Amino acid sequence: MDTGDLTATPRLATKAMLKHDSVRDVELLLLPERVVLLNKSGAAILGLCDGSRNVRQLVEQLERDFEATDLTNDVISFLEDATGRGWVVVS
């Protein structure tokens, strides 16, 4: 993912699925042969990666949801890492 491309549209990889574990009250990313325990911000970012929003829209939504500003660099960094790990694909 190009760090300056706010028009890119991220979505979860086909092999990935988000799931809430109600027993432990945690968010999980399920992948073939592994499970990733997500923190609140990671789960929020991945939860918005449904292919219907570009990165700019995703950041704007997160800034509203978390009542924060200047999240662009953090979100892009997370998405680059998630893309490198095969969790997210970007078009």
Side-chain angles (χ1 to χ4, degrees), residues 34-55:
R34 73 183 155 168
V35 176
V36 179
L37 177 65
L38 299 169
N39 62 23
K40 186 175 182 176
S41 57
I45 294 169
L46 291 179
L48 294 173
C49 291
D50 59 5
S52 69
R53 300 170 187 84
N54 63 33
V55 175

Side-chain angles (χ1 to χ4, degrees), residues 56-75:
R56 178 178 290 114
Q57 293 166 326
L58 196 142
V59 168
E60 290 169 354
Q61 183 64 52
L62 290 165
E63 288 178 345
R64 282 191 299 272
D65 291 349
F66 286 93
E67 297 179 355
T69 58
D70 299 323
L71 295 181
T72 302
N73 290 335
D74 292 334
V75 171

Side-chain angles (χ1 to χ4, degrees), residues 19-28 30 35 37-38:
K19 180 167 176 66
H20 179 76
D21 180 342
S22 57
V23 173
R24 294 174 188 85
D25 195 29
V26 295
E27 301 300 324
L28 304 172
L30 306 178
V35 176
L37 177 65
L38 299 169

